[in-house]
Amino acid sequence: MRDVAIIGVGMTKWGELWEKSLRSIFVESALLAIEDAGVDRIDSMVVGCMSSGLFIGQEHLSSLLSDYLGQNPVPASRVESACSSGGLALRQGFIEVASGMSDIVLVGGVEKMTDVTGCEATFALGTAADQEYESYHGLTFPGLYAMMAVAHMHKYGTTREQLAMVAVKNHDNGSKNPLAQFPFKITVEAVLSSVLVADPLRILDCSPITDGAAAVVLCPADKAKAFKKPFVRITGTGQATDTIALSSRNDIAWLESTHIAGSKALAMAGRKIGDIDLFEVHDCFTIAEIMITEALGLVPKGQGGKAVAEGLTARNGKFPVNASGGLKAKGHPVGATGVAQAVEIVKQLRGEAGERQIKSAKRGLAQNMGGTGGSAVVHVFEAE
Amino acid sequence: MRDVAIIGVGMTKWGELWEKSLRSIFVESALLAIEDAGVDRIDSMVVGCMSSGLFIGQEHLSSLLSDYLGQNPVPASRVESACSSGGLALRQGFIEVASGMSDIVLVGGVEKMTDVTGCEATFALGTAADQEYESYHGLTFPGLYAMMAVAHMHKYGTTREQLAMVAVKNHDNGSKNPLAQFPFKITVEAVLSSVLVADPLRILDCSPITDGAAAVVLCPADKAKAFKKPFVRITGTGQATDTIALSSRNDIAWLESTHIAGSKALAMAGRKIGDIDLFEVHDCFTIAEIMITEALGLVPKGQGGKAVAEGLTARNGKFPVNASGGLKAKGHPVGATGVAQAVEIVKQLRGEAGERQIKSAKRGLAQNMGGTGGSAVVHVFEAE
């Protein structure tokens, strides 16, 4: 396999973009990435999107987006793995370049979520759970993650305040990210007094509904120097699945797919978790980030709540997590999130992250997951 | 890149399978392919599916299907390119094995289309067209292909009877395929007197709504001899896109994406079209098969209608097309079709196609497309 590098990244402001369509937000980010890379062509493109069918009545994004980007007849693919669709797109692009099939591959992620009602969005997101054994019976994602939170609190003594601290930290980071949907700080008190969604999770424990896209350009590492910007190598990729239904798991307070995908990605990169300088992880709910820090091995099992309370995962902590603001503050256009994680890490490793820059960052890790952890994709990135 | 072989295939009876769910029909075909290959593990799986979100309210097939196949935590991916989702899955699986990332990859395709009303199915299929410029204004796929048919008839003198002969040929082939949804013969008169759907296309010019799945197992060619059955090499793969909307094309009587994907696949295999012994192509409507035979170069532009009338594409003709019965008679579960084409070609190259066997077949080609040709995937297969 050939070594693979990211030579360009692109992302526009996320939010409720009612005046823009899916195709337009995708094209904006893709053009930024192409311009950033300085490439004069792409050989192929891979797009992650969870449910354009249910959100905007449009499938066949391969044709639509290559068309609107003016890139017909290049090969184009859409991949889906619920909220890890973006991470999966990056992995497919990586494999395509590594294989020798294509040299310059555009990887994008996109989701247009605000053109439907809240009920319709909740239904669409619910298709990431088991339709027959979970969604059909009324379970939604806040409900599923609430059960995981209760289990974690019961088993390890994780507190309601520790959950809130994840949101406070990520909004503090997001306040320094001009592309974030909610770039403002919040307090623990604000979280604790916000509307209850599914006990113990409140609205400020939940990532939002977002329109957004993100894109990166890949090429073989040995050709990366020819382009404009300092490049970043993808040195490891790991992907794993778990049961789709929470009820089939041995332990709902543990994310096995993230643990396996993370271990594989680190092994491929030849790194240990302590070698990594910053992390972008899938904080779809506050409890998720706590469980992910445990599954990746940043802290021992059960210690994720304590870690955030002690500042371990703060921007100036030992393991900075979600310097971008995470899904919580940056927003969570589900198919785009995994690609946006790569965009943030590349900006950090290039020293272009402005007020939220992690000093001397050389290596980053992105963890993206689908459903309640039914799928997970992890990548390791290293500056040249 | 490593050479890639198909070492096992699986497919069950297609039709209106109201007593079975998407997960169950996928697992049935996948287990047949695994048994046929004689593998005791898979390293990864890729599934093509067009719109499980709209058809059954379920996304996240990566997690669902690896779970129900008992394969967690293997990496699993779902890919979508409308009706070419199956062909795309095969291509992604090919690239994954060729790259060295995985050795034994299960490639599946699945669609469960009959759990919704006809209107809902028409809406779901319409998401393969341009939602904003085609579907929203009332265009459906029979309408789009009817316009292509009218253009072809006007430009080249293709006749209504020639269209009918495609359906008659494919039902004749399908009558010898026990897995086909409609395994019976029809006549030109039956086609011409069947219900008008979108002038000039009648119901017997249209492929049906189908529940079905298909699967193949891939591995590196140099390891293929270790398994049970004679293996088949995938020697070429080509993928291309075109504008999603028909109105943006220079010529709606020509399938440019199929032309490019076919040329690339043949070039990669080092073959010419005359070297190929049998073809499985995407006859979603009778006019489509006529246009595909032209785009692949079996006949000159405009001669596809004449070719079917003269028997060139019959089972005992120079270029046998759709010996399986094609989408028309075998059925068209949209995400499964591209994989089922590979299943048929492998059976033919192994000499296991029963009454529809093409004598001395050594090389086959599969052409799968999405929408009105907004995407196309072509593969070349060769017996050892």
Side-chain angles (χ1 to χ4, degrees), chain B residues 117-138:
Chain B
T117 65
C119 282
E120 288 169 323
T122 300
F123 176 80
L125 291 169
T127 64
D130 189 319
Q131 211 279 336
E132 295 185 17
Y133 293 100
E134 295 181 323
S135 314
Y136 178 81
H137 303 280

Side-chain angles (χ1 to χ4, degrees), chain B residues 28-320:
Chain B
E28 283 179 12
S29 289
L31 288 178
L32 284 177
I34 287 169
E35 169 65 21
D36 187 53
V39 294
D40 58 5
R41 70 165 213 279
I42 60 171
D43 298 331
S44 171
M45 53 190 276
V46 185
V47 180
C49 182
M50 175 179 163
S51 195
S52 54
L54 288 165
F55 282 118
I56 64 161
Q58 178 75 68
E59 309 281 10
H60 209 190
L61 298 189
S62 52
S63 174
L64 179 82
L65 299 179
S66 57
D67 184 2
Y68 277 78
L69 192 57
Q71 293 301 315
N72 293 149
V74 299
S77 307
R78 176 246 183 140
V79 299
E80 183 268 320
S81 187
C83 303
S84 65
S85 299
L88 179 57
L90 184 62
R91 180 175 162 93
Q92 298 283 17
F94 172 92
I95 293 173
E96 190 163 335
V97 174
S99 73
M101 180 66 80
S102 300
D103 275 353
I104 300 178
V105 175
L106 175 77
V107 172
V110 65
E111 209 82 47
K112 186 76 176 77
M113 301 174 73
T114 72
D115 292 354
V116 294
T117 65
C119 282
E120 288 169 323
T122 300
F123 176 80
L125 291 169
T127 64
D130 189 319
Q131 211 279 336
E132 295 185 17
Y133 293 100
E134 295 181 323
S135 314
Y136 178 81
H137 303 280
L139 268 167
T140 61
F141 272 92
L144 288 161
Y145 273 93
M147 291 195 286
M148 296 161 81
V150 169
H152 203 273
M153 293 164 91
H154 177 71
K155 197 165 181 177
Y156 302 116
T158 303
T159 67
R160 186 43 275 203
E161 287 70 22
Q162 290 169 349
L163 295 177
M165 288 173 195
V166 173
V168 171
K169 168 181 73 69
N170 290 351
H171 273 277
D172 182 60
N173 291 340
S175 72
K176 301 179 187 311
N177 185 348
L179 302 182
Q181 180 173 12
F182 295 124
F184 51 74
K185 298 183 188 192
I186 59 172
T187 62
V188 168
E189 294 68 38
V191 179
L192 298 183
S193 62
S194 67
V195 170
L196 190 64
V197 177
D199 193 20
L201 301 178
R202 294 174 176 272
I203 192 83
L204 287 179
D205 288 291
C206 309
S207 58
I209 302 288
T210 311
D211 300 327
V216 302
V217 178
L218 308 182
C219 87
D222 62 7
K223 298 182 181 175
K225 274 190 188 152
F227 299 99
K228 275 169 41 177
K229 292 282 186 85
F231 64 92
V232 168
R233 282 178 199 268
I234 301 177
T235 54
T237 176
Q239 182 190 10
T241 51
D242 199 348
T243 67
I244 188 164
L246 211 49
S247 57
S248 307
R249 310 251 175 100
N250 290 327
D251 181 359
I252 67 168
W254 175 249
L255 293 168
E256 182 69 8
S257 62
T258 287
H259 177 67
I260 293 172
S263 304
K264 281 185 171 182
L266 286 167
M268 184 171 171
R271 300 291 179 192
K272 299 204 179 312
I273 197 75
D275 299 331
I276 306 298
D277 302 315
L278 81 154
F279 301 82
E280 287 289 313
V281 311
H282 199 90
D283 59 323
C284 47
F285 297 91
T286 49
I287 183 62
E289 181 173 309
I290 288 174
M291 290 174 64
I292 292 161
T293 57
E294 298 172 12
L296 289 175
L298 272 65
V299 294
K301 205 180 259 196
Q303 300 300 303
K306 198 167 153 237
V308 67
E310 293 176 352
L312 186 87
T313 54
R315 216 164 54 248
N316 59 358
K318 182 180 170 196
F319 291 129

